[in-house]
Amino acid sequence: QVQLVESGGGLVQAGGSLRLSCAASGSISYIGHMRWYRQAPGKERELVASISAGGKTKYGDSMENRFTISRDNAKKMIWVQMDSLKPEDTGVYYCNAEISVSMLEPTNTYWGQGTQVTVSA
């Protein structure tokens, strides 16, 4: 069983910061891309940031200058440091990863349960 568990969400005032963590566990042979997505109420899920196994990063629109994604392959974890938060950053933040459970099998996509981030004005 592969699990992704997010933590670090909460309530913060506009202009503040939060750091979200995501830990992968279970029978894991390889982890490819890992990503953060978010979903605001009434809106579609959108990409926040992604990071490859080699550390190449990509950010969603308007997030690159405020959010920083990082990764520790040995710990099977990613983080996203979110600074200068705005009320429109409110939503549920999900961790996503491409994981293979065996060297003989391709990767599958796994999702965490999500962590709530609320930014007050």
Side-chain angles (χ1 to χ4, degrees):
Q1 292 280 356
V2 173
Q3 278 192 318
L4 296 175
V5 178
E6 304 97 335
S7 61
L11 173 64
V12 64
Q13 288 187 331
S17 299
L18 280 176
R19 187 183 191 223
L20 306 183
S21 302
C22 171
S25 64
S27 179
I28 296 173
S29 174
Y30 170 79
I31 305 177
H33 275 78
M34 299 185 78
R35 307 174 184 90
W36 287 100
Y37 282 83
R38 71 184 184 189
Q39 188 164 20
K43 295 188 176 181
E44 293 186 355
R45 196 170 293 188
E46 63 175 339
L47 177 70
V48 173
S50 69
I51 186 165
S52 70
K56 185 175 181 180
T57 59
K58 179 181 177 181
Y59 293 89
D61 293 343
S62 79
M63 300 177 204
E64 185 164 5
N65 293 329
R66 299 186 297 122
F67 294 1
T68 304
I69 189 170
S70 58
R71 175 173 179 158
D72 186 321
N73 289 330
K75 294 181 178 178
K76 299 184 180 66
M77 292 186 69
I78 59 169
W79 298 266
V80 61
Q81 175 68 38
M82 305 187 295
D83 299 317
S84 302
L85 283 163
K86 306 174 182 180
E88 50 264 44
D89 293 317
T90 294
V92 180
Y93 284 68
Y94 297 92
C95 179
N96 161 292
E98 306 294 334
I99 295 174
S100 172
V101 298
S102 165
M103 291 180 63
L104 302 178
E105 296 183 14
T107 59
N108 287 311
T109 301
Y110 293 85
W111 290 88
Q113 294 293 319
T115 185
Q116 176 70 43
V117 171
T118 303
V119 184
S120 63

